[in-house]
Amino acid sequence: MKQWIICGMLFFFAFLTLEEASAQQTIQVEGYVKDSETREALPYVTVSLRGTTKGSATDKNGYFSMRTTSDSLTLSVSYVGYETSLTTLRKGYNKVDILLKPSTYELTEITVRPGKERYSKKDNPAVAFARNVIARRNLNDPYDHDYFSYNTYEQRTFAFDDFDVEKARRNWMYKQVEFIFDYVDSTSIRGRTILPLYNEEIIEDYYYRKSPRAERTVVGGTKRAGIIEIISEDGVKQFIDEAFQDVDIFRDNIPLFLKRFVSPLSSIGPDYYKYYLLDTVLIDDAPCMDLGFAPFNSESFGFVGHLYVTLDSTFFVKKIKLNTPRDINLNFIGEMSIEQEYVRTDDGTRILTKNDIALIFRLNRKMKGSYARRVALHRNHSFEKPQDVAVFEEKAPVMESEGARRQTDEFWNEAREGAEEIQKTSVEKMMTQLREVPFFYWSEKAINILVNGYIQTSETNSMFEFGPANTFISGNALEGARLRLGGTTTVNFSRQLFMDGYLAYGLKDHRPKGDAILEYSFNKKRTFRKEYPFHYVRAEYMYDINQIGQHYLYTNADNMFMMLKRRENNLITYMQKAELSYYRENYRGLGYSVMLRHLTEWATPDVPFSLIGQDGMLTPTDHYTSAQLEFRLRWAPNEKFYQSRNYRYPITLDAPIITLSHITARKGVLGADHNYNRTELGVRKRFWMSPFGYVDLYGQAGRVWNRVPYPLLHIPNANLSYSIEAETFPLMNPMEFINDRFASWEMTYFMNGWLFNRLPLIKKLQVREVFSFRGWYGDLSDKNNPAVNGEGLYEFPKNTYMMGDKPYMEVGVGVENIFKLIRLDYIWRLSYRDHEGVPNSGLRVKMKFSF
């Protein structure tokens, strides 16, 4: 019975299908679609039978052809910017030419949101239109001219966003500073009330030469006021310039917020983005297509927004609007708006006239945030050869004219002409009043010490500062508790001559230590001694401890925050060092130095210098002496870094950083005990694999060419702390390996959430994947091996091992962006796991600010 019922239903549906087919008619139609006024062929026009889903689109010549069966005999031809045309067809073959009448529409705000929809790239006119824009993105580039120059007025503003004045007046925190309500303003972009906290204005002239390629910027005026005054202004400026740099929509990848975004005009754009033909608008009296776009994956590093493209054969981009996708795995950015405007010169060259980026920073979506805006207006463009071509011979890519920081109000009023929509602020006056309030005054002092690490000795024009504050107290196995007091002269004492140093005392070993530096800079410094670029001659004398096998690359060895370790390190000696050095670096990233060094290192009970005699007997030796000449080269083209008072932290590693050094010493010269030659080469580079994250690679190799005591050999950089530090081995013990030849590597892959963003529950946490792999492969030649040919060498300390045929290796799997700040790695030791007292795995942590 069931089988009969099923067969009956099949016959019934077959009958209905045949009846419907008989009612339909075979229709064949072909022809051209053209503009009714210009008779210009219109490409990618939608052609369909009205009331059905059956249709086609014109090709680039405006031609279409379609054959189908349908009960509809009305041909509908529609194209944005034109009125829809309806044409009655007859059964069978039809040949028609369609003339579309142009129409214009006012632009209305449209939000493009990626969501669940039926989207197909195949035969999609929006995708075809986007491909035409992409194909022409490299045309009409202003940098194709021999010369290119323009003037820029730029303003940057940071403020409290959505500042509720009435609510703030009822808050006790504002009782003593009610005058700040006089500075509350509203932004023309968002129409919300803000309280400005920092404002910067810049006037500069940009010059470009194609061959030989050169770019120079001359700053004619700069004016800053606000909270960033309390920290390194130039260092922060470098970070801000990198984080909020100009967006070039015509590149495959767009650097922004220290990430890489896929451009909607990327060569992989059609595979990464959905495109939509939204509307036709008039921009500067030119009809333009509003091309909307959104990434297929709303958590990825792409944009949502609009491209306004001229409706002609040039497909010229007149304007862009960008925003971040709703669910993007990007920290602290609550809202973003990027707008750019372009004009086309008579020869077709594309000129950027306005670049406007507005941001809302939030810790989370429910909190109010901070408002930031950067506006750059580019004016007076020229492709003529500059009157003064000597500007290209200047070494610095950015030059600040004399008096740029002391320009008059008249200068700034003139500079702001034509920039009426830019924010008007009085941050400088507000800061003056705030500093008269005791609570704010002392809070600013405390923050200054925490950020810069130095304590001023004068209210204004302090000539000497105590610091770094994080070294005042620390501890180690040899000294016990360590007390230290140091300081440095400032640019108020001299802009070229600096004195720096400290005194320290160990409560366990009862030995005073110290360091004294006298440095003359050939460049006049504006803010502090270690300001970029370096060009100095320096004399230094130091007597202190030396923690063998631990090299502190980005912090002080006696930083109080480094006291927490996974095990105590007692491999410490005393060292006396006198050094005379010359160092110079240029704006192309090339640095070179020559150092003359005389050092003496003393043994301690935990690090004895036991000299091996001819008969194998050990003779305790108090110390050894070495007089060294060191040559060092460093090449880091286009390096971006944040410069603090004492250290330089890389912001990006897009360009390689290459270092090469050689140390030489001759026995008997200046008391040297040994002939000594040591060579090292290091390379560091970041490789972007947008949209799949990036890889940081670091490689190093070296060799000691002579027979020398083990403190002068290559010793890997062991990390005893629980923190994740670059160029260190977190599961290796100090002096576990000693080599006279080595090669090491470190690879860290940051996936930017590419995997986690695709997991339904985990993606809400916005965490990101990290994979690391590091290793050290070295050997010890017989001439430096105490077990083979020990006469004249020091016996190796206990728990030092010979490296075999396999390298030392560690691998780590981690998750970063936990609570938007924490990175956790679990690390495994892959080789030499049987060594005594070493961990074979462990959890490591790092606090890292990241967008």
Side-chain angles (χ1 to χ4, degrees):
M1 181 61 68
K2 291 181 180 179
Q3 294 175 346
W4 284 107
I5 294 174
I6 293 173
C7 290
M9 293 178 64
L10 291 175
F11 279 115
F12 178 74
F13 285 117
F15 175 78
L16 292 179
T17 302
L18 290 172
E19 184 179 29
E20 180 181 2
S22 64
Q24 295 180 343
Q25 307 165 74
T26 300
I27 299 173
Q28 182 180 357
V29 57
E30 65 175 337
Y32 288 86
V33 179
K34 300 178 181 180
D35 186 295
S36 64
E37 297 180 0
T38 65
R39 293 301 192 271
E40 184 177 309
L42 298 178
Y44 315 116
V45 177
T46 301
V47 180
S48 63
L49 293 175
R50 189 178 188 185
T52 73
T53 59
K54 299 177 181 180
S56 180
T58 61
D59 62 15
K60 63 181 180 179
N61 298 315
Y63 173 79
F64 72 96
S65 176
M66 179 173 58
R67 180 184 176 91
T68 185
T69 57
S70 174
D71 56 358
S72 174
L73 291 174
T74 302
L75 183 69
S76 175
V77 180
S78 60
Y79 193 47
V80 287
Y82 292 84
E83 295 179 0
T84 299
S85 170
L86 299 177
T87 303
T88 301
L89 303 176
R90 63 178 184 272
K91 184 179 178 180
Y93 175 77
N94 298 265
K95 185 173 182 180
V96 295
D97 287 332
I98 308 297
L99 300 178
L100 293 185
K101 183 179 180 182
S103 62
T104 58
Y105 302 90
E106 291 297 323
L107 175 64
T108 58
E109 188 64 26
I110 299 176
T111 302
V112 181
R113 296 182 180 275
K116 294 183 179 180
E117 61 176 312
R118 297 182 63 183
Y119 180 88
S120 175
K121 294 186 295 181
K122 186 178 181 181
D123 298 327
N124 188 331
V127 175
F129 188 87
R131 290 188 188 276
N132 273 290
V133 182
I134 293 171
R136 292 164 175 78
R137 66 176 185 170
N138 294 323
L139 300 178
N140 307 319
D141 190 335
Y143 294 93
D144 288 338
H145 291 261
D146 292 334
Y147 294 93
F148 179 38
S149 63
Y150 57 83
N151 170 265
T152 298
Y153 170 79
E154 181 175 324
Q155 186 190 76
R156 303 176 183 186
T157 301
F158 291 84
F160 281 138
D161 179 54
D162 199 15
F163 190 76
D164 191 331
V165 176
E166 296 304 320
K167 185 177 180 180
R169 289 185 185 276
R170 298 191 297 269
N171 192 321
W172 64 272
M173 293 179 58
Y174 294 95
K175 293 296 183 183
Q176 300 297 321
V177 291
E178 291 189 356
F179 56 84
I180 68 170
F181 299 126
D182 298 333
Y183 300 98
V184 173
D185 205 346
S186 61
T187 163
S188 59
I189 290 291
R190 303 179 66 250
R192 298 172 71 168
T193 305
I194 64 171
L195 176 63
L197 300 175
Y198 175 78
N199 181 256
E200 178 180 3
E201 292 180 281
I202 303 172
I203 285 289
E204 58 189 23
D205 294 310
Y206 172 82
Y207 300 93
Y208 165 81
R209 183 180 63 194
K210 185 177 181 179
S211 180
R213 185 180 177 88
E215 293 179 273
R216 296 293 183 267
T217 300
V218 179
V219 179
T222 179
K223 185 178 181 181
R224 306 173 188 168
I227 57 174
I228 296 181
E229 292 179 272
I230 66 177
I231 53 182
S232 169
E233 289 189 32
D234 292 329
V236 171
K237 184 178 184 299
Q238 182 73 39
F239 178 84
I240 293 174
D241 286 344
E242 179 63 24
F244 307 118
Q245 61 180 286
D246 292 339
V247 170
D248 187 354
I249 198 76
F250 302 96
R251 297 170 57 185
D252 280 338
N253 298 308
I254 298 175
L256 196 63
F257 311 124
L258 307 182
K259 305 292 183 184
R260 291 296 183 272
F261 287 70
V262 177
S263 168
L265 294 183
S266 168
S267 55
I268 66 169
D271 298 319
Y272 194 84
Y273 283 95
K274 302 175 184 179
Y275 296 100
Y276 308 87
L277 297 177
L278 298 177
D279 205 345
T280 302
V281 298
L282 284 176
I283 298 179
D284 297 331
D285 296 326
C288 295
M289 171 62 66
D290 180 359
L291 178 66
F293 51 87
F296 283 98
N297 187 338
S298 62
E299 290 86 9
S300 59
F301 283 89
F303 297 100
V304 295
H306 307 257
L307 294 175
Y308 299 94
V309 185
T310 57
L311 285 169
D312 54 29
S313 59
T314 65
F315 291 88
F316 185 86
V317 178
K318 292 280 290 182
K319 185 176 182 179
I320 68 171
K321 288 185 178 181
L322 303 177
N323 206 332
T324 52
R326 180 182 64 251
D327 302 319
I328 188 172
N329 192 340
L330 188 67
N331 294 332
F332 312 119
I333 307 298
E335 300 175 32
M336 184 191 75
S337 171
I338 298 178
E339 292 189 18
Q340 291 183 345
E341 296 178 3
Y342 295 88
V343 297
R344 181 167 48 187
T345 61
D346 293 339
D347 64 354
T349 303
R350 177 181 68 247
I351 293 296
L352 175 65
T353 59
K354 180 181 179 181
N355 187 25
D356 188 348
I357 174 171
L359 304 167
I360 301 297
F361 294 99
R362 290 196 184 101
L363 292 179
N364 58 60
R365 295 182 179 180
K366 297 181 180 180
M367 295 181 63
K368 288 186 178 181
S370 299
Y371 169 82
R373 186 184 180 199
R374 175 179 178 262
V375 187
L377 303 180
H378 305 297
R379 303 173 289 201
N380 303 320
H381 297 82
S382 173
F383 301 115
E384 300 296 326
K385 186 177 182 180
Q387 293 182 352
D388 185 10
V389 294
V391 67
F392 296 114
E393 306 307 319
E394 296 289 341
K395 297 180 179 179
V398 179
M399 296 157 283
E400 189 172 294
S401 61
E402 195 69 29
R405 305 193 181 200
R406 302 186 301 273
Q407 295 289 6
T408 64
D409 292 339
E410 290 77 12
F411 170 87
W412 288 110
N413 289 334
E414 182 179 348
R416 296 182 189 114
E417 290 183 4
E420 287 76 13
E421 80 268 30
I422 286 184
Q423 203 70 37
K424 303 299 188 297
T425 65
S426 302
V427 178
E428 185 175 7
K429 184 178 178 181
M430 183 181 71
M431 292 297 296
T432 301
Q433 289 185 263
L434 280 172
R435 290 188 176 112
E436 296 175 356
V437 179
F439 176 77
F440 181 86
Y441 173 83
W442 291 110
S443 297
E444 184 180 24
K445 293 292 183 184
I447 295 173
N448 187 293
I449 294 172
L450 290 173
V451 173
N452 292 318
Y454 285 83
I455 302 174
Q456 296 180 354
T457 56
S458 174
E459 293 293 326
T460 57
N461 300 324
S462 178
M463 292 191 293
F464 182 84
E465 296 177 348
F466 289 102
N470 61 5
T471 62
F472 286 165
I473 183 170
S474 60
N476 56 73
L478 182 62
E479 295 180 288
R482 173 185 168 101
L483 306 177
R484 168 174 157 171
L485 182 63
T488 181
T489 60
T490 71
V491 292
N492 297 315
F493 173 80
S494 172
R495 295 179 61 186
Q496 292 182 274
L497 183 64
F498 295 91
M499 290 176 283
D500 194 309
Y502 64 83
L503 292 173
Y505 186 80
L507 299 184
K508 181 179 177 181
D509 66 347
H510 304 291
R511 287 197 185 190
K513 296 96 179 172
D515 185 26
I517 295 174
L518 180 64
E519 178 178 303
Y520 179 80
S521 173
F522 296 94
N523 301 326
K524 291 185 178 181
K525 304 297 185 178
R526 291 196 305 266
T527 53
F528 48 84
R529 176 171 67 92
K530 294 188 177 181
E531 188 177 88
Y532 177 82
F534 293 156
H535 185 198
Y536 62 75
V537 59
R538 176 195 297 171
E540 179 179 6
Y541 177 82
M542 182 269 291
Y543 173 75
D544 210 331
I545 65 171
N546 177 34
Q547 301 183 46
I548 301 180
Q550 291 191 87
H551 316 299
Y552 296 89
L553 302 177
Y554 299 106
T555 186
N556 307 87
D558 52 357
N559 186 337
M560 66 176 66
F561 299 107
M562 300 295 290
M563 294 173 60
L564 181 63
K565 300 180 183 295
R566 58 178 168 85
R567 52 154 285 186
E568 186 178 65
N569 178 29
N570 57 355
L571 301 178
I572 304 175
T573 61
Y574 293 105
M575 179 177 286
Q576 174 184 283
K577 181 179 67 175
E579 190 173 85
L580 180 65
S581 61
Y582 171 81
Y583 184 76
R584 184 173 187 176
E585 62 184 1
N586 60 34
Y587 291 98
R588 293 185 296 274
L590 179 63
Y592 52 89
S593 66
V594 179
M595 302 179 190
L596 180 62
R597 181 186 305 115
H598 186 278
L599 65 86
T600 302
E601 188 167 13
W602 283 271
T604 59
D606 292 313
V607 188
F609 294 163
S610 300
L611 184 66
I612 303 174
Q614 185 175 4
D615 55 0
M617 295 294 292
L618 300 178
T619 303
T621 301
D622 181 61
H623 68 276
Y624 75 90
T625 299
S626 183
Q628 304 170 356
L629 180 63
E630 179 177 355
F631 303 92
R632 181 178 292 271
L633 290 174
R634 184 179 188 272
W635 187 50
N638 302 314
E639 182 182 19
K640 303 293 180 63
F641 54 84
Y642 170 76
Q643 178 70 64
S644 69
R645 288 288 294 267
N646 288 306
Y647 294 96
R648 182 179 292 183
Y649 302 94
I651 296 176
T652 65
L653 299 169
D654 295 351
I657 299 177
I658 302 173
T659 57
L660 175 64
S661 67
H662 182 76
I663 301 174
T664 184
R666 297 293 294 174
K667 184 177 181 179
V669 177
L670 298 178
D673 293 333
H674 311 88
N675 290 326
Y676 184 46
N677 286 279
R678 173 179 176 141
T679 306
E680 288 189 16
L681 173 68
V683 181
R684 196 174 182 184
K685 178 75 171 70
R686 174 169 295 172
F687 295 90
W688 286 94
M689 299 186 297
S690 182
F692 309 110
Y694 60 92
V695 176
D696 283 347
L697 292 180
Y698 176 72
Q700 190 179 20
R703 180 167 184 173
V704 174
W705 304 87
N706 306 96
R707 178 180 172 87
V708 292
Y710 70 79
L712 295 176
L713 297 177
H714 295 293
I715 301 175
N717 189 10
N719 181 7
L720 295 182
S721 72
Y722 290 98
S723 64
I724 301 169
E725 301 293 339
E727 302 174 38
T728 66
F729 294 94
L731 299 180
M732 184 186 290
N733 283 345
M735 298 183 67
E736 185 177 347
F737 299 103
I738 300 177
N739 306 109
D740 57 11
R741 292 177 293 186
F742 84 97
S744 68
W745 68 90
E746 181 176 349
M747 180 189 73
T748 309
Y749 180 22
F750 300 88
M751 295 190 71
N752 277 342
W754 189 80
L755 291 176
F756 288 159
N757 288 342
R758 285 157 173 79
L759 302 179
L761 297 178
I762 294 180
K763 70 179 183 180
K764 295 184 179 298
L765 301 175
Q766 292 195 323
V767 292
R768 304 165 186 167
E769 320 84 346
V770 182
F771 301 93
S772 61
F773 178 50
R774 63 184 65 86
W776 174 285
Y777 186 53
D779 66 356
L780 189 67
S781 60
D782 290 346
K783 66 175 179 287
N784 282 311
N785 190 342
V788 176
N789 185 15
E791 184 181 356
L793 298 177
Y794 295 161
E795 182 185 42
F796 282 1
K798 61 180 180 179
N799 296 329
T800 295
Y801 297 86
M802 295 296 103
M803 184 167 285
D805 295 334
K806 58 184 177 182
Y808 173 87
M809 294 176 290
E810 296 175 353
V811 64
V813 177
V815 178
E816 67 170 349
N817 208 42
I818 302 171
F819 305 122
K820 304 184 185 298
L821 196 62
I822 299 173
R823 171 183 165 187
L824 286 177
D825 280 17
Y826 196 83
I827 304 171
W828 290 269
R829 180 171 169 141
L830 300 182
S831 55
Y832 302 100
R833 295 170 58 90
D834 57 344
H835 288 184
E836 182 181 351
V838 298
N840 287 324
S841 62
L843 189 66
R844 298 295 182 266
V845 64
K846 184 174 185 176
M847 306 289 285
K848 178 184 176 183
F849 173 85
S850 176
F851 286 106

